[in-house]
Amino acid sequence: MLLKDKIVIVSGIGPGLGVKLAIEAAREGAAGVVAAARSQEKLDDAEARVKAINPNCKVLKIVTDITDRAQCEALVAATIKQFGRIDALVNSAFVHGDMDYVSSANLDAWAAVMNTNLIGTLKLTQSVLPQMKLQGGGAIVMINTMAARTPPPLGEAGYAASKSALANSAKYLAKEVGKDNIRVNSIHMGWMWGAPVEGYFVWQAQETGVPLETLKAKISSTIPLGRIPTDDECARAALFLVSDYASAVTGAALDANGGSYMP
């Protein structure tokens, strides 16, 4: 079990990767999963699904807006009170924003995207650092995107800009806190088959009249593995980075996209 007895905070619990991170952490033996999201309903769903996988995994649910530092600090304080330590932070919370292009984007709208994806993520990250230093170490992973590596056909300029800034910040942070035995890594996802992407394909099929399986096959043909990775698979790759098996890895960026992007 990759995360046996560890206490793991997962931000951005939602219907896709977020909840799968919590579920897979429990499957890998985490003693406690701290689930953070803006919606109580999503947290309740995550708890039920975690308990179905690992009844012995304790779940702490905290409604949290990561753009609010006080809420980030309250989340950390509640985690310490409940579990006494924080072994891992998985930063999954994000706002996608508009499907836009740099040449024509409403740049004022980028502020909300930056405020969550970069500033909010770093607020929560800064909040866990004192406890990780006190206990002698910890691990942090930033959920990132292939769009920050190479421009996609669809416009995602604002989202990619925020995630690119986060990727660079993760490298700086890794260098700053390495002496404290705190590891910081990034993982870049591409297409992930799960509820959000399936919903997108359903919508596309309705709009275009092209069967869902045909649309899915077209995307799959561009991926070296020949299929769209599932969000379960991508969650497990992310959790590897906060496990002891990655104890020598910090400041790295892992691509979990079936080979769609190869640096």
Side-chain angles (χ1 to χ4, degrees):
M1 291 187 176
L2 285 178
L3 302 175
K4 182 174 172 56
D5 298 332
K6 292 190 182 296
I7 306 303
V8 182
I9 297 176
V10 180
S11 73
I13 296 292
L17 181 66
V19 72
K20 295 300 179 66
L21 288 162
I23 291 169
E24 294 304 316
R27 194 191 307 277
E28 291 296 335
V33 171
V34 182
R38 297 183 186 186
S39 164
Q40 185 66 51
E41 182 181 359
K42 290 175 182 176
L43 295 177
D44 292 342
D45 174 67
E47 179 180 36
R49 295 171 72 176
V50 164
K51 288 295 187 181
I53 292 295
N54 182 356
N56 295 320
C57 180
K58 296 180 180 179
V59 179
L60 177 61
K61 302 175 294 182
I62 308 288
V63 175
T64 307
D65 179 349
I66 64 168
T67 66
D68 185 329
R69 184 177 291 274
Q71 292 187 40
C72 292
E73 292 178 352
L75 168 66
V76 169
T79 302
I80 296 168
K81 181 178 180 180
Q82 175 83 9
F83 298 110
R85 61 185 296 108
I86 300 168
D87 296 298
L89 168 63
V90 183
N91 281 306
S92 182
F94 75 99
V95 168
H96 190 280
D98 297 333
M99 299 296 289
D100 57 8
Y101 300 87
V102 174
S103 57
S104 56
N106 174 5
L107 296 179
D108 291 335
W110 284 23
V113 178
M114 288 286 184
N115 198 33
T116 294
N117 299 353
L118 176 63
I119 305 302
T121 296
L122 294 180
K123 284 179 179 178
L124 181 55
T125 299
Q126 287 181 344
S127 295
V128 305
L129 290 178
Q131 175 60 34
M132 287 186 173
K133 291 178 180 179
L134 182 66
Q135 69 196 29
I140 299 165
V141 63
M142 310 296 193
I143 303 299
N144 214 296
T145 173
M146 189 171 71
R149 305 285 239 169
T150 183
L154 299 174
E156 290 184 293
Y159 175 62
S162 69
K163 288 293 196 173
S164 295
L166 180 62
N168 201 46
S169 298
K171 293 179 182 180
Y172 273 76
L173 183 61
K175 191 167 186 178
E176 294 163 12
V177 299
K179 66 183 184 302
D180 300 301
N181 195 34
I182 299 172
R183 299 185 298 103
V184 185
N185 292 291
S186 299
I187 183 164
H188 293 254
M189 314 300 192
W191 287 100
M192 286 187 295
W193 192 256
V197 168
E198 185 174 4
Y200 169 77
F201 274 91
V202 168
W203 174 77
Q204 277 283 293
Q206 293 171 343
E207 289 292 306
T208 63
V210 178
L212 185 151
E213 288 303 321
T214 301
L215 294 170
K216 187 177 179 182
K218 182 177 181 181
I219 296 297
S220 297
S221 69
T222 67
I223 301 173
L225 282 183
R227 60 183 178 83
I228 298 175
T230 66
D231 49 14
D232 307 79
E233 291 178 291
C234 294
R236 289 192 286 271
L239 294 174
F240 162 75
L241 289 172
V242 296
S243 77
D244 292 342
Y245 280 92
S247 59
V249 182
T250 196
L254 175 65
D255 292 284
N257 47 50
S260 294
Y261 174 80
M262 297 185 186

